[in-house]
Amino acid sequence: MLRDSANFRSDAYGGPIQNRIRLLREVTEAVAHEVGVERTGVRLSPNGETQGVRDSDPLPLFCSAAEVLSSIGIANLELREPPLDGTFGVGYLHPLAAQIRPHFKGTLILNSDFDPVRAQAAIDVGAGDAIAFGRPFISNPDLVERIANGLALSPDDRERWFTQDTKGYTDYPAAGRDLAAPAAKAKA
């Protein structure tokens, strides 16, 4: 609905940027009204392409969207922007977060392919206020401890991301712990 390569509407929800972000504004206002702005967050993917949908000029579009969301006063805006060499999704242009940042006054959360070094660099330059880690949390149940102590991260296993049971969600060991140790203790 936001991007010009998919929005061909000729009514109040199509054409110029302000029309294309209208539904985003209306839905966000409605949600914020029901649950409170302090409990409302929005996630956008400014540099991502999904099934061939992209925008010919995404920076003004997403800066305008950020301004509208900021004016509503939502708690946070999350930007999922994979790098050009992303490991799960690839951006079609460099992340725009640093350029969008001035247009959103709330908490800006960045997401996609962050490791501790890249995350700290993004925070240090003011591109965002926080980093959301997804896959690293799956493979590192003690991710916060590992980052705080400079410990290596366990790689994730794509085959274990979306299983229908606990495999991949509860069987990665914490740092310095042997995966077989709990099973051996349980049998004793």
Side-chain angles (χ1 to χ4, degrees):
M1 195 65 171
L2 294 176
R3 293 175 170 90
D4 60 11
S5 72
N7 184 330
F8 303 114
R9 299 179 68 114
S10 58
D11 60 8
Y13 293 92
I17 288 174
Q18 290 309 311
N19 289 5
R20 287 186 278 139
I21 62 177
R22 182 178 181 173
L23 183 64
L24 172 65
R25 179 181 48 80
E26 290 175 353
V27 170
T28 304
E29 286 173 338
V31 169
H33 177 76
E34 290 298 318
V35 303
V37 292
E38 73 282 357
R39 297 179 66 201
T40 303
V42 171
R43 182 186 209 195
L44 298 174
S45 300
N47 80 330
E49 177 182 311
T50 302
Q51 298 180 354
V53 177
R54 61 170 62 182
D55 196 80
S56 62
D57 195 8
L59 186 59
L61 170 64
F62 287 97
C63 287
S64 293
E67 288 171 0
V68 164
L69 296 169
S70 187
S71 72
I72 295 169
I74 63 172
N76 64 71
L77 172 59
E78 180 179 345
L79 299 180
R80 183 190 181 279
E81 294 191 283
L84 296 176
D85 61 349
T87 61
F88 187 66
V90 176
Y92 68 91
L93 53 110
H94 290 286
L96 302 172
Q99 296 162 286
I100 295 170
R101 171 74 247 166
H103 300 274
F104 186 74
K105 304 306 178 208
T107 300
L108 186 66
I109 303 168
L110 308 181
N111 182 324
S112 195
D113 274 313
F114 281 95
D115 61 23
V117 172
R118 184 170 168 251
Q120 190 62 56
I123 297 297
D124 289 346
V125 299
D129 300 305
I131 306 297
F133 290 95
R135 291 175 284 139
F137 258 120
I138 294 172
S139 58
N140 296 277
D142 55 346
L143 181 67
V144 173
E145 177 184 335
R146 287 180 190 232
I147 291 173
N149 294 304
L151 302 174
L153 300 185
S154 296
D156 59 275
D157 177 2
R158 184 177 278 208
E159 295 298 317
R160 296 163 62 184
W161 287 355
F162 302 110
T163 63
Q164 299 302 310
D165 57 27
T166 59
K167 182 179 179 183
Y169 288 93
T170 62
D171 59 353
Y172 282 100
R177 297 194 185 126
D178 182 359
L179 183 60
K185 288 181 184 177
K187 290 181 181 179

